[in-house]
Amino acid sequence: MLSLAGVAAAISGCTGTSETGDVASGLAATSKPTTSLEAPAQNPPVSGPRMTFDPCLDVTNGFLQQAGLSEAKIKRWDFIGEPTSMLGCDYTTAEKTIMIRTGNDTYENQLVTDGALRHVKNTDLIKINGREGFIGPNRLGDEDCTAFLRTDYGYVVVNGGYRLSTNEVQRRGLDVCGEILRISTLIEPLLPR
């Protein structure tokens, strides 16, 4: 089992299975941010299980601060329909864009689909506080990174990267998959079991 500090080093190699510990459990009890965003209707025509985590409304101030997103512009992104649905929010700061989505397709289907669509390096299986997931460079290239976490109704995905030049990312030694794993570890305690 890897510690969170060791995860960034392990992710740069992106092989095998890693597990992070109970790093962010204190974030689940903090207050929720004030927002003008509203929950979308999940009445019919939603097909599949009801999504019980809303990436726009169920995050906490503690999570946003720890993730470096407390000053982010927030934009809701939802798809309600057939055959599955997704809820999501894009969090954009001067340095990074993080997209958090939740969907009611099966986690297993996402794992298979991700592998079939991948033209770059494969994903790694992970566990965060015992929750199954997988992480890897974005399907279209390695400038962004994507992590999926299993939920009782489907999955939550954390995707994103830095809004900096490749030279600046390299100069500062920033690791996009390490950052996505860190944010996934912070959000995990907020997810339904």
Side-chain angles (χ1 to χ4, degrees):
M1 173 157 58
L2 296 173
S3 68
L4 187 57
V7 169
I11 288 300
S12 63
C14 254
T15 60
T17 301
S18 64
E19 181 167 349
T20 61
D22 188 18
V23 175
S25 61
L27 295 178
T30 60
S31 64
K32 293 186 179 177
T34 303
T35 179
S36 61
L37 299 172
E38 295 181 14
Q42 288 193 62
N43 299 321
V46 170
S47 109
R50 185 172 186 77
M51 296 166 284
T52 57
F53 174 77
D54 186 318
C56 300
L57 303 178
D58 293 334
V59 297
T60 62
N61 284 319
F63 164 76
L64 292 174
Q65 277 188 319
Q66 295 270 334
L69 301 172
S70 59
E71 301 298 320
K73 291 181 183 178
I74 303 171
K75 180 180 177 186
R76 180 174 270 295
W77 182 99
D78 299 318
F79 174 78
I80 305 296
E82 297 282 337
T84 60
S85 297
M86 293 179 73
L87 306 178
C89 255
D90 296 347
Y91 295 87
T92 304
T93 70
E95 291 198 349
K96 60 188 170 188
T97 296
I98 304 297
M99 294 156 277
I100 304 173
R101 309 273 191 265
T102 192
N104 63 2
D105 190 9
T106 67
Y107 169 83
E108 291 81 7
N109 189 47
Q110 291 299 311
L111 183 59
V112 169
T113 301
D114 185 85
L117 295 174
R118 201 162 273 286
H119 297 286
V120 295
K121 189 174 179 333
N122 288 331
T123 58
D124 291 319
L125 299 177
I126 57 174
K127 281 196 176 187
I128 299 175
N129 299 324
R131 186 185 301 272
E132 291 179 274
F134 61 94
I135 189 169
N138 186 282
R139 296 173 185 157
L140 303 176
D142 60 1
E143 291 182 11
D144 286 359
C145 192
T146 306
F148 281 79
L149 301 174
R150 180 190 294 270
T151 65
D152 58 348
Y153 56 82
Y155 64 90
V156 167
V157 61
V158 179
N159 180 69
Y162 293 103
R163 299 179 63 200
L164 304 170
S165 70
T166 302
N167 288 341
E168 183 65 9
V169 169
Q170 290 173 349
R171 185 186 73 74
R172 291 169 55 180
L174 301 173
D175 176 6
V176 68
C177 280
E179 179 67 358
I180 293 300
L181 181 61
R182 185 183 77 80
I183 292 171
S184 298
T185 302
L186 293 171
I187 205 166
E188 190 282 332
L190 304 175
L191 304 181
R193 282 279 167 196

